Amino acid sequence: AGHIALGTLEITFAQLALGRSEVPQAAEALKRAVAIFEAANEKTPAGIRALALLARTEQQLGELDAAEAHATRALDQARDAMAGFEHSQWLGGALVARGMVQKSRGESAAAQTSWRAALVELQTTLGESAPATEEARRLLAGS
């Protein structure tokens, strides 16, 4: 119980729920994932991913205060986890989530700034054609 593999399973359950447009169920699975990763002795970037996905899911549900808090936690943890690296896909994902929350709050300029920074992180770490990079590019173009 409480092993990080169970957190990864909860992320997978959440992604399946999102694919079926079951957003509340996805949020619950992500909350369980975050709790598992926070309680685990072993630290993994998957906890950052769970927080960023939770923020995005809460944004879809209109729970903007919770979404902002989780996006901020994801950003803080991503920066802490960089361990001297200049760029991080985890930071890029957290920046995308923050930008989505900012956009939902009507803060278009701040969202663009977040997505521009996310694009740099994702292009550098995942490459030009990665799905996450393309998503950041689409968000920036559509804002």
Side-chain angles (χ1 to χ4, degrees):
H3 190 278
I4 59 173
L6 297 175
T8 302
L9 284 174
E10 291 292 350
I11 290 173
T12 303
F13 294 146
Q15 290 172 314
L16 289 170
L18 288 171
R20 293 188 297 250
S21 298
E22 298 169 351
V23 181
Q25 292 86 344
E28 290 307 313
L30 289 165
K31 288 175 186 175
R32 289 189 301 270
V34 167
I36 290 167
F37 290 123
E38 287 177 348
N41 291 330
E42 182 180 350
K43 297 303 173 197
T44 173
I48 300 165
R49 183 171 180 230
L51 281 167
L53 284 171
L54 178 56
R56 292 173 63 146
T57 303
E58 289 166 334
Q59 178 265 333
Q60 288 182 47
L61 292 169
E63 299 171 3
L64 299 184
D65 290 341
E68 184 174 5
H70 288 122
T72 299
R73 282 178 51 202
L75 281 167
D76 291 344
Q77 289 183 19
R79 288 183 179 120
D80 289 345
M82 289 181 70
F85 287 96
E86 190 172 338
H87 297 285
S88 161
Q89 69 175 321
W90 310 112
L91 180 57
L95 286 162
V96 167
R98 182 176 70 178
M100 293 174 92
V101 175
Q102 291 167 324
K103 180 73 172 177
S104 290
R105 289 194 182 276
E107 302 167 359
S108 295
Q112 288 178 352
T113 299
S114 292
W115 291 331
R116 269 193 293 280
L119 189 57
V120 170
E121 298 299 322
L122 296 169
Q123 284 174 327
T124 305
T125 57
L126 299 177
E128 289 290 329
S129 61
T133 305
E134 291 178 359
E135 178 190 32
R137 195 177 291 116
R138 279 192 310 273
L139 287 167
L140 190 55
S143 60

